[in-house]
Amino acid sequence: MASVPSLASTVQQRLADGLSAALPDAASADPLLRRSDRADFQANGILALAKQLKGNPRELATKVVEAIPANDVLKEIEVSGPGFLNITVTDAAIIDTLAARAADARLGVPFNESAGTTVIDYAQPNVAKEMHVGHLRSAVIGAAMVEILEFTGETVVRRHHIGDWGTQFGMLIQFLIEHPHELDHSSEAEVSGEEAMSNLNRLYKASRALFDSDEEFKTRARARVVDLQAGDEETLALWQRFVDESKIYFYSVFDKLDMDIRDGDVVGESGYNDMLVETCRILEESGVAVRSEGALCVFFDDVKGPDGNPTPLIVQKSDGGFGYAATDLSAIRDRVQNLKATSLLYVVDARQSLHFKMVFETARRAGWLNDEVKAVQLAFGTVLGKDGKPFKTREGETVRLVDLLDEAVDRATTVVREKAEKVGLTEAEIVENGQHVGIGAVKYADLSTSAARDYKFDLDQMVSLNGDTSVYLQYAYARIRSIFGKAGDRTPVAHPELELAPAERALGLHLDSFGELIQETAAEYAPHKLAAYLYQLASLYTTFYDQCPVIKPAPAQEVAENRLFLCELTARTLHQGMALLGIRTPERL
C-alpha cells in the first residue's frame, strides 16, 4: 500500500493552494506549518512573505484564507496576532486519516524515495578484552539506527570493526605457545561466554605480568608480532584461537542485549590488512599524504597541537608500521568501492571526533568520499555514574557490561514480580518479562538521551514505573492489550462521523505524525527523537484513558468502537516504535 499523507502535509497543501491563488508571485513560498497549543496547527510563513512583498501581513493572511477552496479537512482558519494562521482540522479528517494508517501494515509510514546503501560501523569490542559500559552505547545506538534505516527502505550493511590486530597479540600468542593449555575448555560441552572471558582474562593478565618483568620474554613477544604481521601460519592459527574465543564471549553479551550480531558482519581491523600498502601508495602518489620525518602524513590547516604546530594524521609510521588511520581509510575504500555504500555511519565515542574528522577529510581529498557518498560520525557522550563522574566501580575499575546487564534484569524482575499476581503471570513469564524490561530499561535510558550528551547510569531511575522510562511505555502497551480482553463483543471500528473529545483529538493528531517523525529520525540519525515521540504517545494515551471511558462506564456502541480503534492504533504504533529501538513489548505485564 502507498504511504498515507499526514494531516500536516494535507493542510500544508491546502495552504499552498490558497497562497498561489491569492498571491501568484508567492506560489513557491513555504507556509511554515507546525503543531500549536492554540489550535491544531499554526502557519507563520505569511510574516516573512509580507516583508518580501512589502504588504500588511494581516491583510495578506486574510486574502490567503479567502482563497482556500472549501474542503473537508479544514474546519477553521483564524488570522491571529500580526498575521499567524491558527488552523483547526475536522474530527472526520483525523479519523479518516488514522483509518488509512490502520489499514496498512507499515502504519502508512513512507519509504524514503532517495534510499541508498548505508554501512553502519557499530559495536566494536576488542579481542581478548572484556566489554565495559563504554561499549554499550555504540551497540545500542547502532542497532537502533540499523532498524530505523531499514524500516525506511535503506539497504543497511552492518560492520563490527572489532579490535583484533596489534602489538599486544605478540605477547598473547607467545605466552600461549609457552603455556599451551591456557585456552583449553573444562569440558566438551558448549562453552559459556563467562568461561571464555575468564580464560582470556587470566591469560591476558599473566602474559602482561611476564612481559613487564621478563626482558627475554618481551624480546620473544616482539619477534612474534613480526611473525604475525608477516603472515606466519602457526602464529596466525594461534591468533585465530584468540579471535574465536573472544567471539564466544562477545556473542553471549550481545545475546543478553537481545541483539542479532551475525558472524559475516564482524570484519575486524585485520580484515583490511591486505589493503594497507595500496592505500598508502594511492595517498602518497596522489599527493594527499606526504613524507614527514620518515612518516606518511596528511596535514590540515585547521588542526594544530597545543604548541600551535600542525598536527598531522599519521597513516604510516616512520618504522613502516600502520596506524589506525591506514585501517580506517582502507575500510572506507572497501565500503565505498566493494560494498557500494552511499552513506557511512560511524557510531563511535565523541572523544574520537578529531581522528574521524581528519580521516573523512583525507578520504574526500582522495576522492573516495564526495557529493554522492558521505561519511558521518554519530558521536556519543560518556556514561556517567549517579555522581556525575565517569562510571567506575568502587575500586575505581571500569564497570563490566555483563554485571550491569545482569543487575538491570534482577531489578526489573523484582518490579515485574510485584505486579505479577494481579495479571496472573507464570514464573516463566516473570523471568522472560524481567529480561525484556531490564534490557529495555538500559537501552531506552541510552536512546532517550541525545547521543552527543553524556548520560547518568541510574538503575533505580531506569526501572521506575514513573517518568520517561521504557517500563512506563511497556506498561502502557500491556494495559492497552488488556483492554481487548475485557471488550466483549465490541471491536475496534473507525467512526469519522463522531465528534471527538479533546483527549481523543490530541492522541489522534500525535498518532498521525508517526510517519514524519520516523523520516526525521532516520535523516538526522537521532533515535532520541523516536524515544521522545513514544513517551509523549504513552502520556497522551494515559490522559485519553483517564478522560474517555472505553469499557466502563460503558459508552454508546459507536463511541466504544471508535475508542477501541484509537487504543488499537496506539498499541500498534508503540509496538512498532519500540521494536525500532530494539525493545520488546510484552503482551502482559
Side-chain angles (χ1 to χ4, degrees):
M1 176 173 160
S3 65
V4 176
S6 68
L7 281 167
S9 64
T10 307
V11 170
Q12 176 99 354
Q13 190 52 55
R14 298 281 189 275
L15 288 179
D17 295 347
L19 266 171
S20 54
L23 309 164
D25 297 348
S28 63
D30 185 346
L32 294 180
L33 191 71
R34 59 182 180 81
R35 286 295 306 278
S36 163
D37 47 9
R38 305 251 167 106
D40 296 337
F41 299 98
Q42 188 176 70
N44 303 339
I46 291 174
L47 293 176
L49 194 58
K51 253 189 196 156
Q52 200 186 318
L53 300 176
K54 300 187 171 47
N56 175 316
R58 274 192 75 96
E59 284 172 18
L60 287 182
T62 308
K63 239 187 204 176
V64 170
V65 173
E66 286 167 355
I68 294 173
N71 62 81
D72 51 5
V73 175
L74 302 178
K75 181 180 179 184
E76 186 184 355
I77 307 183
E78 171 206 14
V79 178
S80 95
F84 300 131
L85 296 180
N86 285 337
I87 300 152
T88 307
V89 295
T90 63
D91 292 350
I94 294 175
I95 296 299
D96 279 333
T97 304
L98 294 183
R101 290 199 179 285
D104 177 33
R106 290 175 51 80
L107 300 169
V109 176
F111 284 109
N112 177 5
E113 287 169 14
S114 53
T117 297
T118 297
V119 176
I120 301 192
D121 187 325
Y122 70 109
Q124 309 103 344
N126 293 312
V127 165
K129 286 192 182 165
E130 195 128 28
M131 287 175 73
H132 56 77
V133 69
H135 291 115
L136 179 70
R137 298 207 75 183
S138 177
V140 169
I141 296 167
M145 283 317 309
V146 168
E147 297 299 329
I148 291 162
L149 288 171
E150 282 186 338
F151 189 64
T152 63
E154 189 78 4
T155 301
V156 175
V157 182
R158 304 161 162 88
R159 275 294 173 266
H160 307 295
H161 190 84
I162 63 172
D164 65 353
W165 203 249
T167 52
Q168 76 275 21
F169 284 99
M171 172 183 92
L172 293 167
I173 293 166
Q174 189 60 36
F175 190 86
L176 190 58
I177 288 172
E178 297 174 17
H179 304 79
H181 299 296
E182 284 295 305
L183 282 184
D184 291 357
H185 296 138
S186 54
S187 71
E188 291 300 305
E190 195 178 331
V191 186
S192 71
E194 277 291 299
E195 185 188 336
M197 194 62 237
S198 102
N199 275 347
L200 289 163
N201 254 342
R202 194 181 59 250
L203 196 150
Y204 190 88
K205 282 178 181 156
S207 65
R208 168 54 72 186
L210 197 57
F211 186 86
D212 291 342
S213 64
D214 182 334
E215 283 303 317
E216 288 178 4
F217 176 75
K218 187 181 276 192
T219 305
R220 294 195 298 278
R222 287 190 168 147
R224 189 58 60 185
V225 176
V226 178
D227 295 340
L228 177 65
Q229 291 176 339
D232 171 64
E233 279 188 30
E234 181 203 11
T235 308
L236 277 176
L238 290 166
W239 166 80
Q240 190 63 49
R241 281 191 68 186
F242 283 100
V243 174
D244 292 343
E245 193 80 3
S246 298
K247 280 184 176 178
I248 295 171
Y249 161 70
F250 294 158
Y251 294 163
S252 74
V253 178
F254 289 126
D255 200 45
K256 259 187 214 288
L257 272 168
D258 195 13
M259 273 182 200
D260 172 30
I261 302 277
R262 299 184 292 234
D263 210 52
D265 302 331
V266 179
V267 182
E269 293 167 1
S270 64
Y272 306 100
N273 284 350
D274 295 348
M275 299 175 71
L276 300 178
V277 172
E278 193 185 4
T279 296
C280 290
R281 184 183 59 73
I282 294 169
L283 292 172
E284 190 167 10
E285 285 180 4
S286 61
V288 172
V290 293
R291 292 277 163 193
S292 172
E293 296 172 27
L296 186 61
C297 303
V298 184
F299 288 91
F300 308 88
D301 295 337
D302 59 343
V303 182
K304 295 188 170 59
D307 55 3
N309 291 329
T311 304
L313 181 72
I314 299 174
V315 186
Q316 189 177 19
K317 299 173 202 160
S318 53
D319 65 3
F322 299 102
Y324 288 128
T327 308
D328 286 332
L329 287 162
S330 299
I332 288 177
R333 276 179 57 213
D334 175 59
R335 292 164 184 186
V336 173
Q337 293 164 2
N338 299 330
L339 301 177
K340 305 293 182 232
T342 47
S343 301
L344 304 175
L345 184 62
Y346 290 77
V347 188
V348 183
D349 190 315
R351 286 170 292 197
Q352 294 187 44
S353 294
L354 179 61
H355 169 76
F356 279 101
K357 181 184 165 189
M358 292 159 85
V359 165
F360 296 162
E361 176 55 30
T362 301
R364 264 191 288 279
R365 292 179 189 178
W368 304 325
L369 298 176
N370 48 43
D371 293 345
E372 274 70 59
V373 186
K374 63 172 181 174
V376 178
Q377 182 192 357
L378 204 181
F380 55 82
T382 308
V383 182
L384 307 173
K386 281 190 197 180
D387 57 4
K389 294 181 179 148
F391 201 24
K392 297 268 195 262
T393 63
R394 287 206 182 106
E395 296 73 45
E397 300 281 313
T398 311
V399 180
R400 295 171 70 220
L401 185 49
V402 174
D403 295 343
L404 221 116
L405 299 177
D406 288 346
E407 192 183 342
V409 170
D410 286 349
R411 298 269 190 105
T413 307
T414 306
V415 171
V416 170
R417 197 177 292 283
E418 280 164 8
K419 299 217 167 214
E421 211 173 304
K422 212 164 144 192
V423 196
L425 296 181
T426 64
E427 183 57 29
E429 284 178 308
I430 292 172
V431 170
E432 188 184 9
N433 285 355
Q435 280 179 318
H436 294 334
V437 171
I439 298 302
V442 171
K443 287 183 177 180
Y444 186 84
D446 195 323
L447 293 167
S448 57
T449 308
S450 163
R453 289 175 48 198
D454 299 344
Y455 87 97
K456 284 187 185 172
F457 197 95
D458 180 352
L459 274 177
D460 295 326
Q461 175 53 36
M462 287 180 191
V463 297
S464 163
L465 296 172
N466 304 314
D468 187 2
T469 64
S470 152
V471 198
Y472 174 68
L473 299 178
Q474 287 168 319
Y475 267 104
Y477 176 78
R479 185 163 71 170
I480 302 173
R481 300 306 316 160
S482 72
I483 287 172
F484 289 94
K486 305 169 194 159
D489 56 353
R490 297 179 170 194
T491 53
V493 182
H495 284 280
E497 74 282 1
L498 292 176
E499 193 175 317
L500 297 177
E504 291 174 301
R505 289 181 61 88
L507 179 62
L509 286 165
H510 191 66
L511 283 167
D512 182 49
S513 63
F514 183 60
E516 286 166 348
L517 181 278
I518 292 292
Q519 287 174 294
E520 192 181 316
T521 298
E524 295 175 19
Y525 304 133
H528 69 280
K529 292 197 166 182
L530 174 54
Y533 172 90
L534 295 171
Y535 175 59
Q536 198 184 348
L537 178 59
S539 306
L540 287 166
Y541 180 80
T542 303
T543 307
F544 156 81
Y545 187 78
D546 291 345
Q547 295 179 7
C548 305
V550 181
I551 308 293
K552 286 179 181 166
Q557 180 81 8
E558 290 83 4
V559 173
E561 288 174 347
N562 200 54
R563 286 177 181 168
L564 281 169
F565 163 73
L566 287 172
C567 288
E568 185 179 57
L569 190 56
T570 301
R572 282 179 58 195
T573 306
L574 271 174
H575 176 73
Q576 178 65 72
M578 292 288 266
L580 294 178
L581 295 178
I583 299 173
R584 306 258 178 185
T585 38
E587 297 292 305
R588 302 193 320 146
L589 258 183

